[in-house]
Amino acid sequence: MAVSVEVPENISAFLDSATPDEWLDVATERLPEMLLDHANCELKAASTALGFLYRYPERSVLAQRMSRLAREELRHFEQVRSIMDDMKIPFERLTASRYAGGLRDAARRDEPYKLLDLLLIGALIEARSCERFARIAPRLPEKLGKFYGGLLASEARHFEHYIAFAKSESGVTDAKIEQRLQELKKVEAALISDPDPIFRFHSGPPL
Amino acid sequence: MAVSVEVPENISAFLDSATPDEWLDVATERLPEMLLDHANCELKAASTALGFLYRYPERSVLAQRMSRLAREELRHFEQVRSIMDDMKIPFERLTASRYAGGLRDAARRDEPYKLLDLLLIGALIEARSCERFARIAPRLPEKLGKFYGGLLASEARHFEHYIAFAKSESGVTDAKIEQRLQELKKVEAALISDPDPIFRFHSGPPL
Protein backbone atom coordinates (compact mmCIF):
# COMPACT_ATOMS: atom_id res chain seq x y z
CA MET A 1 0.00 0.00 0.00
CA ALA A 2 1.34 3.41 -0.95
CA VAL A 3 2.28 5.67 1.92
CA SER A 4 0.32 8.92 2.16
CA VAL A 5 2.71 11.82 2.69
CA GLU A 6 2.39 15.44 1.62
CA VAL A 7 4.90 18.25 1.36
CA PRO A 8 4.50 20.34 4.53
CA GLU A 9 3.16 23.83 3.78
CA ASN A 10 6.12 25.65 5.34
CA ILE A 11 8.41 23.80 2.94
CA SER A 12 6.40 24.27 -0.25
CA ALA A 13 6.00 27.96 0.63
CA PHE A 14 9.77 28.26 1.18
CA LEU A 15 10.91 26.77 -2.13
CA ASP A 16 10.52 28.59 -5.45
CA SER A 17 9.73 25.46 -7.46
CA ALA A 18 8.35 21.96 -6.98
CA THR A 19 10.29 18.84 -7.98
CA PRO A 20 9.35 18.07 -11.60
CA ASP A 21 7.30 14.90 -12.12
CA GLU A 22 9.94 13.73 -14.61
CA TRP A 23 12.47 13.46 -11.80
CA LEU A 24 10.02 11.38 -9.74
CA ASP A 25 9.44 9.06 -12.70
CA VAL A 26 13.16 8.41 -13.07
CA ALA A 27 13.74 8.08 -9.33
CA THR A 28 11.20 5.27 -8.98
CA GLU A 29 12.95 3.44 -11.82
CA ARG A 30 16.45 4.01 -10.47
CA LEU A 31 15.94 3.29 -6.79
CA PRO A 32 19.38 1.78 -6.08
CA GLU A 33 21.14 4.88 -7.43
CA MET A 34 18.77 7.16 -5.55
CA LEU A 35 19.50 5.35 -2.27
CA LEU A 36 23.23 5.31 -2.94
CA ASP A 37 23.26 9.02 -3.59
CA HIS A 38 20.92 9.72 -0.71
CA ALA A 39 23.33 7.96 1.68
CA ASN A 40 26.09 10.21 0.30
CA CYS A 41 23.89 13.26 0.83
CA GLU A 42 23.33 12.42 4.50
CA LEU A 43 27.07 12.01 4.99
CA LYS A 44 27.77 15.26 3.19
CA ALA A 45 25.09 17.05 5.23
CA ALA A 46 26.91 15.88 8.37
CA SER A 47 30.23 17.12 6.97
CA THR A 48 28.67 20.46 6.04
CA ALA A 49 27.40 20.87 9.59
CA LEU A 50 30.87 20.02 10.93
CA GLY A 51 32.35 22.55 8.50
CA PHE A 52 30.55 25.30 10.45
CA LEU A 53 32.17 23.98 13.65
CA TYR A 54 35.62 24.19 12.14
CA ARG A 55 35.09 27.55 10.47
CA TYR A 56 33.28 29.32 13.32
CA PRO A 57 34.34 27.42 16.46
CA GLU A 58 33.98 30.47 18.69
CA ARG A 59 30.20 30.52 18.18
CA SER A 60 28.96 28.27 20.97
CA VAL A 61 25.26 28.11 20.14
CA LEU A 62 26.00 27.42 16.48
CA ALA A 63 28.58 24.76 17.48
CA GLN A 64 26.11 22.91 19.69
CA ARG A 65 23.32 22.96 17.13
CA MET A 66 25.51 21.98 14.19
CA SER A 67 27.05 19.12 16.15
CA ARG A 68 23.57 17.78 17.01
CA LEU A 69 22.52 18.24 13.41
CA ALA A 70 25.57 16.28 12.21
CA ARG A 71 24.67 13.46 14.61
CA GLU A 72 21.16 13.29 13.25
CA GLU A 73 22.36 13.22 9.63
CA LEU A 74 24.81 10.44 10.51
CA ARG A 75 22.02 8.40 12.08
CA HIS A 76 20.08 8.76 8.83
CA PHE A 77 23.18 7.80 6.86
CA GLU A 78 23.37 4.59 8.89
CA GLN A 79 19.69 3.90 8.28
CA VAL A 80 19.98 4.35 4.51
CA ARG A 81 23.06 2.12 4.44
CA SER A 82 21.17 -0.55 6.40
CA ILE A 83 18.30 -0.42 3.93
CA MET A 84 20.80 -0.73 1.08
CA ASP A 85 22.33 -3.77 2.75
CA ASP A 86 18.87 -5.32 3.25
CA MET A 87 18.06 -4.69 -0.41
CA LYS A 88 21.46 -6.11 -1.43
CA ILE A 89 22.35 -2.90 -3.27
CA PRO A 90 26.09 -3.08 -3.87
CA PHE A 91 28.08 0.02 -2.99
CA GLU A 92 29.32 2.13 -5.90
CA ARG A 93 31.12 5.44 -5.94
CA LEU A 94 28.92 8.05 -7.63
CA THR A 95 30.05 11.38 -9.01
CA ALA A 96 28.47 14.37 -7.29
CA SER A 97 25.48 16.05 -8.89
CA ARG A 98 25.71 19.68 -9.97
CA TYR A 99 23.32 20.74 -7.20
CA ALA A 100 25.36 21.32 -4.03
CA GLY A 101 28.38 22.55 -5.98
CA GLY A 102 26.20 24.90 -8.00
CA LEU A 103 24.81 26.40 -4.82
CA ARG A 104 28.19 26.61 -3.11
CA ASP A 105 29.59 28.45 -6.13
CA ALA A 106 26.96 31.12 -5.54
CA ALA A 107 28.20 31.78 -1.98
CA ARG A 108 30.11 35.02 -1.52
CA ARG A 109 33.69 34.84 -0.23
CA ASP A 110 33.86 37.68 2.30
CA GLU A 111 32.47 37.63 5.81
CA PRO A 112 29.85 38.05 7.10
CA TYR A 113 28.29 37.29 3.70
CA LYS A 114 30.04 33.95 3.42
CA LEU A 115 28.53 32.72 6.70
CA LEU A 116 25.16 34.16 5.71
CA ASP A 117 25.17 32.53 2.28
CA LEU A 118 26.34 29.16 3.62
CA LEU A 119 23.51 29.18 6.16
CA LEU A 120 20.90 30.17 3.56
CA ILE A 121 22.21 27.49 1.19
CA GLY A 122 22.02 24.99 4.07
CA ALA A 123 18.38 25.97 4.55
CA LEU A 124 17.60 25.48 0.86
CA ILE A 125 19.25 22.06 0.66
CA GLU A 126 17.44 20.89 3.80
CA ALA A 127 14.08 22.16 2.54
CA ARG A 128 14.59 20.57 -0.88
CA SER A 129 15.58 17.23 0.65
CA CYS A 130 12.37 17.24 2.67
CA GLU A 131 10.29 18.17 -0.34
CA ARG A 132 11.78 15.20 -2.20
CA PHE A 133 11.24 12.84 0.75
CA ALA A 134 7.55 13.83 0.72
CA ARG A 135 7.12 13.64 -3.06
CA ILE A 136 8.89 10.31 -3.52
CA ALA A 137 7.46 8.49 -0.47
CA PRO A 138 4.00 7.70 -1.98
CA ARG A 139 5.66 6.18 -5.05
CA LEU A 140 7.87 3.76 -3.12
CA PRO A 141 7.31 0.24 -1.77
CA GLU A 142 5.49 0.62 1.55
CA LYS A 143 8.41 -0.02 3.90
CA LEU A 144 10.71 2.37 2.08
CA GLY A 145 7.93 4.94 1.75
CA LYS A 146 7.38 4.85 5.50
CA PHE A 147 11.10 5.34 6.04
CA TYR A 148 11.08 8.46 3.86
CA GLY A 149 8.00 9.72 5.68
CA GLY A 150 9.90 9.31 8.94
CA LEU A 151 12.92 11.20 7.59
CA LEU A 152 10.62 14.02 6.56
CA ALA A 153 9.15 14.22 10.06
CA SER A 154 12.63 14.23 11.54
CA GLU A 155 14.19 16.81 9.22
CA ALA A 156 11.23 19.06 8.39
CA ARG A 157 12.38 21.86 10.69
CA HIS A 158 16.09 21.79 9.87
CA PHE A 159 15.76 24.53 7.26
CA GLU A 160 14.16 26.81 9.83
CA HIS A 161 17.11 26.32 12.17
CA TYR A 162 19.43 27.42 9.37
CA ILE A 163 17.30 30.51 8.71
CA ALA A 164 17.21 31.34 12.43
CA PHE A 165 21.01 31.15 12.53
CA ALA A 166 21.27 33.34 9.43
CA LYS A 167 19.37 35.95 11.41
CA SER A 168 21.09 35.50 14.77
CA GLU A 169 24.69 34.86 13.68
CA SER A 170 25.39 36.86 10.52
CA GLY A 171 24.80 40.39 11.81
CA VAL A 172 23.19 41.24 8.46
CA THR A 173 19.84 43.09 8.52
CA ASP A 174 16.66 41.05 8.04
CA ALA A 175 15.85 42.98 4.86
CA LYS A 176 19.21 42.16 3.29
CA ILE A 177 18.93 38.54 4.38
CA GLU A 178 15.52 38.32 2.75
CA GLN A 179 16.82 39.88 -0.46
CA ARG A 180 19.75 37.46 -0.60
CA LEU A 181 17.49 34.52 0.19
CA GLN A 182 15.30 35.42 -2.80
CA GLU A 183 18.37 35.44 -5.06
CA LEU A 184 19.57 32.07 -3.81
CA LYS A 185 16.08 30.57 -4.12
CA LYS A 186 16.19 31.38 -7.84
CA VAL A 187 19.59 29.67 -8.20
CA GLU A 188 18.24 26.63 -6.35
CA ALA A 189 15.02 26.47 -8.35
CA ALA A 190 16.98 26.55 -11.63
CA LEU A 191 19.21 23.65 -10.50
CA ILE A 192 16.05 21.65 -9.74
CA SER A 193 14.12 22.64 -12.86
CA ASP A 194 16.71 22.75 -15.65
CA PRO A 195 17.31 19.49 -17.54
CA ASP A 196 20.20 17.62 -15.95
CA PRO A 197 22.61 15.20 -17.66
CA ILE A 198 22.91 12.94 -14.59
CA PHE A 199 20.42 11.47 -12.16
CA ARG A 200 21.00 12.03 -8.48
CA PHE A 201 18.98 12.72 -5.33
CA HIS A 202 19.10 16.46 -6.01
CA SER A 203 19.24 16.44 -9.82
CA GLY A 204 16.93 18.22 -12.25
CA PRO A 205 14.62 16.41 -14.71
CA PRO A 206 16.47 14.15 -17.16
CA LEU A 207 18.00 15.87 -20.19
CA MET B 1 35.47 15.11 47.11
CA ALA B 2 37.90 13.61 44.65
CA VAL B 3 36.45 11.08 42.25
CA SER B 4 37.90 7.59 42.48
CA VAL B 5 38.72 6.32 38.99
CA GLU B 6 41.42 3.90 37.90
CA VAL B 7 42.91 3.10 34.53
CA PRO B 8 41.17 -0.07 33.31
CA GLU B 9 43.57 -3.02 33.08
CA ASN B 10 42.96 -3.66 29.38
CA ILE B 11 44.05 -0.08 28.68
CA SER B 12 47.18 0.01 30.87
CA ALA B 13 48.20 -3.36 29.40
CA PHE B 14 47.71 -2.02 25.88
CA LEU B 15 49.82 1.13 26.21
CA ASP B 16 53.62 1.02 26.41
CA SER B 17 53.88 3.91 28.88
CA ALA B 18 51.83 5.67 31.53
CA THR B 19 51.11 9.40 31.42
CA PRO B 20 53.95 11.14 33.31
CA ASP B 21 52.96 12.77 36.60
CA GLU B 22 54.44 16.03 35.31
CA TRP B 23 51.73 16.20 32.65
CA LEU B 24 49.05 15.68 35.30
CA ASP B 25 50.54 18.48 37.43
CA VAL B 26 50.38 20.93 34.53
CA ALA B 27 46.92 19.79 33.43
CA THR B 28 45.36 20.53 36.82
CA GLU B 29 46.89 24.02 36.66
CA ARG B 30 45.82 24.68 33.08
CA LEU B 31 42.29 23.35 33.12
CA PRO B 32 40.78 25.84 30.64
CA GLU B 33 43.38 24.95 28.01
CA MET B 34 42.95 21.25 28.68
CA LEU B 35 39.18 21.51 28.20
CA LEU B 36 39.56 23.64 25.08
CA ASP B 37 41.94 21.15 23.55
CA HIS B 38 39.86 18.21 24.71
CA ALA B 39 36.81 19.66 22.91
CA ASN B 40 38.99 19.90 19.77
CA CYS B 41 40.09 16.31 20.24
CA GLU B 42 36.51 15.03 20.38
CA LEU B 43 35.72 16.94 17.19
CA LYS B 44 38.84 15.61 15.48
CA ALA B 45 38.04 12.07 16.63
CA ALA B 46 34.65 12.44 14.94
CA SER B 47 36.32 13.73 11.76
CA THR B 48 38.83 10.87 11.84
CA ALA B 49 35.99 8.36 12.05
CA LEU B 50 34.25 10.10 9.12
CA GLY B 51 37.53 9.96 7.20
CA PHE B 52 37.23 6.16 7.17
CA LEU B 53 33.72 6.52 5.69
CA TYR B 54 34.98 8.73 2.87
CA ARG B 55 38.08 6.68 2.19
CA TYR B 56 36.53 3.18 2.41
CA PRO B 57 32.81 3.74 1.68
CA GLU B 58 32.38 0.27 0.21
CA ARG B 59 33.02 -1.39 3.60
CA SER B 60 29.54 -1.50 5.12
CA VAL B 61 30.37 -2.81 8.59
CA LEU B 62 33.19 -0.31 8.97
CA ALA B 63 30.93 2.50 7.71
CA GLN B 64 28.20 1.73 10.25
CA ARG B 65 30.60 1.46 13.17
CA MET B 66 32.59 4.58 12.28
CA SER B 67 29.42 6.60 11.82
CA ARG B 68 28.19 5.54 15.27
CA LEU B 69 31.60 6.30 16.72
CA ALA B 70 31.55 9.78 15.16
CA ARG B 71 28.14 10.41 16.70
CA GLU B 72 29.41 9.43 20.13
CA GLU B 73 32.47 11.68 19.83
CA LEU B 74 30.24 14.57 18.75
CA ARG B 75 28.01 14.07 21.77
CA HIS B 76 31.11 14.29 23.96
CA PHE B 77 32.23 17.40 22.06
CA GLU B 78 28.89 19.01 22.90
CA GLN B 79 29.25 18.02 26.56
CA VAL B 80 32.75 19.49 26.86
CA ARG B 81 31.59 22.70 25.17
CA SER B 82 28.67 22.93 27.60
CA ILE B 83 31.02 22.53 30.54
CA MET B 84 33.26 25.25 29.07
CA ASP B 85 30.25 27.53 28.74
CA ASP B 86 29.20 26.81 32.34
CA MET B 87 32.74 27.57 33.51
CA LYS B 88 32.80 30.72 31.34
CA ILE B 89 35.91 29.56 29.53
CA PRO B 90 36.18 31.74 26.45
CA PHE B 91 36.83 29.97 23.18
CA GLU B 92 40.32 30.29 21.73
CA ARG B 93 41.89 28.69 18.71
CA LEU B 94 44.73 26.41 19.82
CA THR B 95 47.49 25.04 17.63
CA ALA B 96 47.52 21.25 17.35
CA SER B 97 49.85 19.26 19.55
CA ARG B 98 52.56 17.12 17.96
CA TYR B 99 50.76 13.94 19.04
CA ALA B 100 48.18 13.06 16.35
CA GLY B 101 50.35 14.47 13.55
CA GLY B 102 53.35 12.52 14.83
CA LEU B 103 51.35 9.32 14.75
CA ARG B 104 49.80 10.02 11.37
CA ASP B 105 53.27 10.67 9.92
CA ALA B 106 54.17 7.11 10.92
CA ALA B 107 51.33 5.63 8.83
CA ARG B 108 52.41 3.91 5.63
CA ARG B 109 51.05 5.19 2.32
CA ASP B 110 50.19 2.02 0.42
CA GLU B 111 47.16 -0.18 0.95
CA PRO B 112 46.36 -2.33 2.82
CA TYR B 113 49.04 -1.01 5.20
CA LYS B 114 47.60 2.49 5.18
CA LEU B 115 44.20 1.24 6.38
CA LEU B 116 45.90 -1.04 8.90
CA ASP B 117 48.10 1.72 10.29
CA LEU B 118 45.25 4.23 10.49
CA LEU B 119 43.17 1.73 12.46
CA LEU B 120 46.04 0.87 14.81
CA ILE B 121 46.75 4.58 15.34
CA GLY B 122 43.04 5.11 16.03
CA ALA B 123 43.25 2.38 18.68
CA LEU B 124 46.27 4.00 20.32
CA ILE B 125 44.72 7.48 20.43
CA GLU B 126 41.49 6.09 21.90
CA ALA B 127 43.35 4.07 24.53
CA ARG B 128 45.55 7.04 25.48
CA SER B 129 42.56 9.35 25.78
CA CYS B 130 40.94 6.89 28.18
CA GLU B 131 44.11 6.53 30.19
CA ARG B 132 44.23 10.31 30.57
CA PHE B 133 40.54 10.52 31.50
CA ALA B 134 41.20 8.01 34.28
CA ARG B 135 44.43 9.61 35.50
CA ILE B 136 43.15 13.19 35.54
CA ALA B 137 39.67 12.52 36.97
CA PRO B 138 40.75 12.11 40.64
CA ARG B 139 42.63 15.44 40.48
CA LEU B 140 39.67 17.47 39.22
CA PRO B 141 36.80 19.25 41.01
CA GLU B 142 34.17 16.61 41.77
CA LYS B 143 31.68 17.47 39.02
CA LEU B 144 34.33 17.58 36.33
CA GLY B 145 36.00 14.44 37.68
CA LYS B 146 32.69 12.58 37.44
CA PHE B 147 32.29 13.77 33.88
CA TYR B 148 35.69 12.38 32.95
CA GLY B 149 34.88 9.11 34.72
CA GLY B 150 31.73 8.91 32.59
CA LEU B 151 33.69 9.54 29.38
CA LEU B 152 36.06 6.76 30.36
CA ALA B 153 33.17 4.34 30.86
CA SER B 154 31.72 5.37 27.51
CA GLU B 155 34.94 5.20 25.47
CA ALA B 156 36.89 2.42 27.22
CA ARG B 157 36.18 -0.15 24.52
CA HIS B 158 36.69 2.07 21.47
CA PHE B 159 40.31 1.00 21.07
CA GLU B 160 39.23 -2.64 20.95
CA HIS B 161 36.82 -1.88 18.12
CA TYR B 162 39.70 -0.34 16.17
CA ILE B 163 41.87 -3.41 16.80
CA ALA B 164 39.03 -5.72 15.76
CA PHE B 165 38.69 -3.79 12.50
CA ALA B 166 42.44 -3.95 11.91
CA LYS B 167 42.05 -7.73 12.03
CA SER B 168 38.81 -8.04 10.05
CA GLU B 169 39.30 -5.32 7.41
CA SER B 170 42.99 -5.10 6.54
CA GLY B 171 43.59 -8.63 5.24
CA VAL B 172 47.01 -8.57 6.94
CA THR B 173 48.01 -11.59 9.03
CA ASP B 174 47.60 -11.39 12.81
CA ALA B 175 51.35 -11.84 13.29
CA LYS B 176 52.17 -8.89 11.04
CA ILE B 177 49.46 -6.78 12.67
CA GLU B 178 50.94 -7.54 16.08
CA GLN B 179 54.44 -6.65 14.90
CA ARG B 180 53.26 -3.34 13.44
CA LEU B 181 51.25 -2.56 16.57
CA GLN B 182 54.40 -2.99 18.67
CA GLU B 183 56.23 -0.51 16.43
CA LEU B 184 53.46 2.06 16.61
CA LYS B 185 53.17 1.62 20.40
CA LYS B 186 56.80 2.73 20.67
CA VAL B 187 56.14 5.83 18.55
CA GLU B 188 53.10 6.64 20.69
CA ALA B 189 54.91 6.10 23.99
CA ALA B 190 57.72 8.43 22.89
CA LEU B 191 55.25 11.21 22.00
CA ILE B 192 53.75 10.86 25.49
CA SER B 193 57.06 10.56 27.37
CA ASP B 194 59.42 12.98 25.60
CA PRO B 195 59.45 16.56 26.90
CA ASP B 196 57.04 18.67 24.89
CA PRO B 197 57.25 22.41 24.17
CA ILE B 198 53.47 22.91 24.29
CA PHE B 199 50.75 21.74 26.65
CA ARG B 200 47.76 19.95 25.17
CA PHE B 201 45.43 17.06 25.99
CA HIS B 202 47.83 14.60 24.37
CA SER B 203 51.15 16.36 25.02
CA GLY B 204 54.24 14.98 26.74
CA PRO B 205 55.63 16.32 30.04
CA PRO B 206 56.59 20.01 29.92
CA LEU B 207 59.97 20.80 28.42
Side-chain angles (χ1 to χ4, degrees), chain B residues 30-190:
Chain B
R30 294 172 72 167
L31 223 44
E33 270 164 290
M34 189 189 78
L35 286 166
L36 259 168
D37 193 54
H38 177 201
N40 282 345
C41 288
E42 295 287 354
L43 184 55
K44 281 186 211 158
S47 297
T48 299
L50 294 188
F52 285 99
L53 287 180
Y54 279 105
R55 222 173 267 132
Y56 308 102
E58 70 285 1
R59 294 171 186 256
S60 270
V61 181
L62 187 73
Q64 293 281 349
R65 164 63 65 183
M66 289 296 169
S67 180
R68 285 207 298 279
L69 197 70
R71 286 199 282 125
E72 193 176 348
E73 313 278 11
L74 287 174
R75 201 163 44 79
H76 295 162
F77 166 79
E78 292 157 35
Q79 289 168 342
V80 182
R81 284 294 295 247
S82 285
I83 287 171
M84 285 169 54
D85 287 346
D86 290 348
M87 294 173 70
K88 313 241 180 288
I89 298 173
F91 178 84
E92 254 180 81
R93 279 181 194 267
L94 294 181
T95 54
S97 73
R98 69 183 182 190
Y99 180 76
L103 280 166
R104 258 198 320 271
D105 288 347
R108 289 167 291 181
R109 305 295 168 94
D110 299 327
E111 298 294 0
Y113 305 108
K114 182 176 170 179
L115 172 59
L116 172 64
D117 287 2
L118 292 176
L119 289 167
L120 295 178
I121 288 167
L124 286 163
I125 296 177
E126 292 286 346
R128 176 63 61 191
S129 302
C130 284
E131 191 247 5
R132 294 223 153 156
F133 295 155
R135 295 289 303 284
I136 195 76
R139 297 189 176 219
L140 297 176
E142 189 175 356
K143 197 178 156 193
L144 201 54
K146 277 188 181 163
F147 171 68
Y148 274 90
L151 285 186
L152 172 66
S154 167
E155 300 198 6
R157 305 198 72 98
H158 283 186
F159 84 97
E160 293 173 342
H161 296 311
Y162 272 100
I163 295 293
F165 275 123
K167 292 182 179 172
S168 65
E169 298 282 331
S170 72
V172 177
T173 64
D174 282 5
K176 284 202 171 163
I177 292 175
E178 187 53 36
Q179 187 191 340
R180 182 59 180 156
L181 180 57
Q182 296 308 323
E183 292 167 5
L184 290 170
K185 279 183 182 181
K186 285 194 178 56
V187 176
E188 198 273 342

Side-chain angles (χ1 to χ4, degrees), chain A:
Chain A
M1 214 183 81
V3 173
S4 167
V5 180
E6 286 184 15
V7 180
E9 263 184 39
N10 59 339
I11 288 175
S12 53
F14 182 71
L15 295 168
D16 260 9
S17 70
T19 286
D21 285 339
E22 295 89 328
W23 181 87
L24 295 165
D25 294 340
V26 183
T28 46
E29 280 164 21
R30 296 172 72 166
L31 224 44
E33 271 165 287
M34 189 190 77
L35 286 166
L36 259 168
D37 193 52
H38 177 200
N40 281 346
C41 288
E42 295 287 354
L43 184 55
K44 281 185 212 159
S47 298
T48 298
L50 294 188
F52 285 100
L53 286 180
Y54 279 106
R55 222 173 269 133
Y56 309 100
E58 70 286 359
R59 295 170 187 257
S60 270
V61 180
L62 187 74
Q64 292 281 351
R65 164 63 65 181
M66 289 296 169
S67 181
R68 286 208 299 278
L69 198 70
R71 287 199 282 125
E72 191 175 349
E73 313 279 11
L74 287 173
R75 201 162 47 79
H76 296 162
F77 165 79
E78 292 158 35
Q79 290 169 340
V80 182
R81 285 295 294 248
S82 284
I83 288 170
M84 287 169 53
D85 287 346
D86 290 348
M87 292 173 70
K88 310 240 181 291
I89 298 173
F91 178 84
E92 254 181 82
R93 279 181 196 268
L94 295 181
T95 54
S97 73
R98 68 183 181 188
Y99 180 76
L103 280 166
R104 259 198 318 271
D105 288 346
R108 289 168 290 180
R109 306 296 167 93
D110 299 326
E111 298 295 0
Y113 306 108
K114 181 175 170 182
L115 172 59
L116 173 63
D117 286 3
L118 291 175
L119 289 167
L120 295 178
I121 288 167
L124 286 163
I125 297 177
E126 292 286 344
R128 177 62 62 191
S129 302
C130 283
E131 191 247 5
R132 294 224 152 155
F133 295 156
R135 296 290 303 283
I136 195 76
R139 298 187 175 220
L140 297 176
E142 189 175 354
K143 197 179 155 192
L144 200 53
K146 278 190 181 162
F147 171 67
Y148 274 92
L151 285 187
L152 171 65
S154 167
E155 301 198 6
R157 306 199 72 98
H158 283 187
F159 84 97
E160 293 173 340
H161 295 312
Y162 272 100
I163 295 293
F165 275 124
K167 292 182 180 174
S168 65
E169 298 282 332
S170 72
V172 177
T173 63
D174 282 5
K176 284 202 171 164
I177 292 175
E178 188 53 35
Q179 186 192 341
R180 182 61 180 155
L181 181 56
Q182 295 309 321
E183 291 167 6
L184 290 171
K185 279 183 182 181
K186 286 194 178 56
V187 175
E188 199 274 343
L191 290 163
I192 286 303
S193 307
D194 293 348
D196 200 331
I198 60 172
F199 169 74
R200 293 289 182 268
F201 191 79
H202 288 117
S203 56
L207 192 62

